[in-house]
């Protein structure tokens, strides 16, 4: 099976590219941010737990996030593999994912990061905020906090996979199609 981590800062285009990649490779898309927003919109206990963290641009605690991810993966009956988007966001989540996949006789195929500089992502998120309806996309100080959290908590995840030769980066600036071509170039080389 193919298990890809689509990596990069908030606003780097992971969600958009993940949609195109799942169509292209026939994989299942799992976005932990989307899962949390779904739980919140249904006001479930999980949604209630996540709400304050998301509003502040902080990470939802690992045990909550990892539990939700495991349930989601286990609920998918048959698939060629997964594209993880917005997960793992901490080294503890990465280690839990590796262990969880190993229990199934599986492993991460590769992590592919979208490289986009900070001022561009702030601009993109504020633009997205006009239509996304996401409160965390509409306040520049919360956006900056999400970027700070990404730098301190999440970038070590790419180092974790780099150490085992599984971390790759593509330029995340350009047209949707250009970026998609760069991603499929890397992914094709991983699965051939
Ligand atoms: P996203 O849609 O990926 O930008 O995620 C929106 C928010 O959901 C983040 O700012 C976090 O509060 C929360 N979130 C999403 N994924 C995770 C994760 N893997 N670990 C912790 N919190 C997460």
């Amino acid at each position: 099976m193919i298990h890809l981590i689509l990596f990069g800062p908030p606003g780097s285009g992971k969600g958009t590219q993940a949609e195109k990649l799942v169509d292209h490779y026939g994989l299942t898309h799992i976005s932990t941010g989307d899962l949390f927003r779904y739980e919140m919109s249904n006001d479930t206990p999980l949604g209630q737990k996540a709400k304050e963290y998301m509003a502040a641009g902080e990470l939802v605690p690992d045990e909550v996030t990892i539990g939700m991810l495991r349930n989601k993966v286990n609920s998918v009956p048959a698939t060629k593999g997964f594209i993880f988007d917005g997960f793992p966001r901490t080294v503890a989540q990465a280690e839990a994912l590796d262990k969880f996949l190993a229990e199934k006789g599986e492993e991460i195929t590769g992590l592919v990061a979208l490289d986009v500089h900070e001022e561009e992502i702030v601009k993109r998120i504020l633009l997205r905020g006009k239509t996304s309806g996401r409160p965390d996309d509409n306040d520049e100080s919360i956006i900056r906090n999400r970027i700070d959290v990404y730098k301190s908590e999440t970038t070590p995840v790419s180092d974790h996979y780099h150490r085992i030769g599984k971390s790759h980066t593509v330029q995340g600036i350009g047209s949707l199609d250009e970026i998609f071509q760069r991603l499929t170039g890397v992914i094709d080389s991983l699965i051939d």
Side-chain angles (χ1 to χ4, degrees):
M1 288 166 83
I2 304 168
H3 302 299
L4 301 169
I5 298 169
L6 194 55
F7 196 76
S12 56
K14 299 187 296 293
T16 310
Q17 292 294 336
E19 295 295 345
K20 288 165 73 75
L21 292 169
V22 291
D23 283 349
H24 188 78
Y25 292 105
L27 301 172
T28 301
H29 180 199
I30 297 189
S31 154
T32 42
D34 286 351
L35 292 175
F36 282 131
R37 281 183 287 278
Y38 176 80
E39 297 290 333
M40 263 166 45
S41 68
N42 288 296
D43 204 23
T44 64
L46 182 56
Q48 288 166 9
K49 272 187 206 157
K51 200 171 176 172
E52 299 304 317
Y53 297 100
M54 292 180 76
E58 296 291 333
L59 295 183
V60 179
D62 282 338
E63 65 275 16
V64 176
T65 307
I66 292 164
M68 176 179 75
L69 190 280
R70 292 172 77 108
N71 288 340
K72 180 66 191 177
V73 168
N74 286 334
S75 75
V76 177
T79 180
K80 284 162 78 177
F82 293 95
I83 294 189
F84 298 104
D85 158 10
F87 182 94
R89 255 180 164 95
T90 63
V91 170
Q93 291 179 16
E95 287 169 347
L97 178 64
D98 292 346
K99 187 161 168 264
F100 176 53
L101 290 177
E103 283 162 13
K104 296 174 178 297
E106 298 286 334
E107 61 180 343
I108 287 297
T109 310
L111 172 153
V112 192
L114 290 167
D115 184 20
V116 183
H117 61 82
E118 183 161 341
E119 290 318 307
E120 172 69 17
I121 59 184
V122 173
K123 221 169 68 188
R124 284 191 195 176
I125 297 175
L126 284 169
L127 186 68
R128 179 173 76 185
K130 292 185 178 164
T131 53
S132 71
R134 285 177 53 173
D136 62 342
D137 280 352
N138 274 295
D139 179 322
E140 187 163 339
S141 67
I142 293 172
I143 295 170
R144 298 255 176 217
N145 191 43
R146 288 163 65 197
I147 295 169
D148 287 346
V149 168
Y150 174 79
K151 286 185 194 159
S152 59
E153 306 272 330
T154 306
T155 53
V157 170
S158 67
D159 301 334
H160 170 87
Y161 289 103
H162 181 72
R163 277 194 287 279
I164 49 172
K166 289 189 175 179
S167 179
H168 311 268
T169 301
V170 302
Q171 179 61 251
I173 305 271
S175 71
L176 286 186
D177 282 338
E178 281 165 354
I179 299 167
F180 182 70
Q181 295 305 327
R182 288 176 204 142
L183 287 168
T184 53
V186 171
I187 295 167
D188 288 348
S189 74
L190 300 178
I191 62 183
D192 272 351

